[in-house]
Amino acid sequence: MAVVSDARRAPFDRAAWSASLGPSLTAFRARVREEGRRLYRDLPWRRTRDPYGIWLSEVMLQQTQVSRVEGRWEAWLARFPRVEDLAAAQSADVLALWQGLGYNRRAIALGRAARQVMAAGGVFPRETERLLELPGVGPATAAGIRAFAFDLPGTYLETNVRSVFLHELFPGVQSVSDRELAPLVGATCPPDDADPSDDPRSWYYALLDYGAHLKRTTTNPSRRSAGHGRQSAFEGSRRQKRAELVRLLLAGRDEGALATTTLARRLNEVERAAGRAELDVGQVEGLLGELAAEGLCRREASGWLA
């Protein structure tokens, strides 16, 4: 079933691939559908076609384990049940609810995107071009929204999908680029929802579930992707210190604006407890400036606010 057997590959030719793969492509799709039925996960966001809820799940699941999102997705919808509720929310309230999911910029982007949707009439877009105009929405997220909310075809290339294609069609091949994979992903997606058992929505669920299974039971196929890289350690990193400052600002909301010296003292209590070196006020000021530039906090005359 493999497309190639060694690392010396010509650029992808869709017509040649379609003509040569023939029965192999049919077998590949049949295998994915079979594994998808066997491994199907009944996740809460799969019980809706509401584009707002599906968009939220797609953003939450970026670089985050499914187990961390379950429960958090429901809690979010209980607090902000509609896109207009999110659009009207204070950034600090959005950040507070997001804590624990990582990458706080995603929460800020959600709020900005919700306001953009409301400014355009409150109807969530389904066209790829319009989805890509929303803050924080990239090609994979746009394709996921189109498939899972609207049953529309697209190239949904995320880590679990990538794992399936590498495992089944590029066995043993190293440094496979997304430029090679993307046409294959797009070509195998059903063109419409004529067959409810094999439409874009069910096809990509099957790929996601089979890919998650492969990553648990085999050497992660995604490691053979050209773009694969190990994420740097969080603890002690700049990301950790930035995230801790956001947490401190949220925890201190009732106190009003917090001075840089106050935030430095509280951050250094955390650093000392973890056995790490303290930061000086200038370093903390620099981190706060970065956060402010990204919309994660703001500065007032008397100090900093979330």
Side-chain angles (χ1 to χ4, degrees), residues 261-299:
T261 52
T262 300
L263 288 164
R265 174 172 52 80
R266 294 178 182 178
L267 176 61
N268 282 328
E269 289 173 0
V270 175
E271 296 300 289
R272 283 195 304 272
R276 295 189 289 263
E278 296 185 11
L279 284 73
D280 61 40
V281 172
Q283 290 173 307
V284 174
E285 182 91 11
L287 292 171
L288 289 164
E290 290 178 9
L291 295 171
E294 295 170 17
L296 293 163
C297 69
R298 68 183 190 275
R299 186 170 200 166

Side-chain angles (χ1 to χ4, degrees), residues 60-72:
M60 284 186 167
L61 288 164
Q62 293 170 9
Q63 296 177 287
T64 307
Q65 294 179 346
V66 168
S67 59
R68 293 182 63 191
V69 175
E70 288 188 278
R72 299 299 299 274

Side-chain angles (χ1 to χ4, degrees), residues 141-164:
T141 302
I145 295 168
R146 281 172 53 83
F148 304 134
F150 303 115
D151 231 337
L152 293 171
T155 302
Y156 182 53
L157 181 51
E158 63 81 73
T159 181
N160 286 331
V161 173
R162 185 180 291 109
S163 291
V164 175

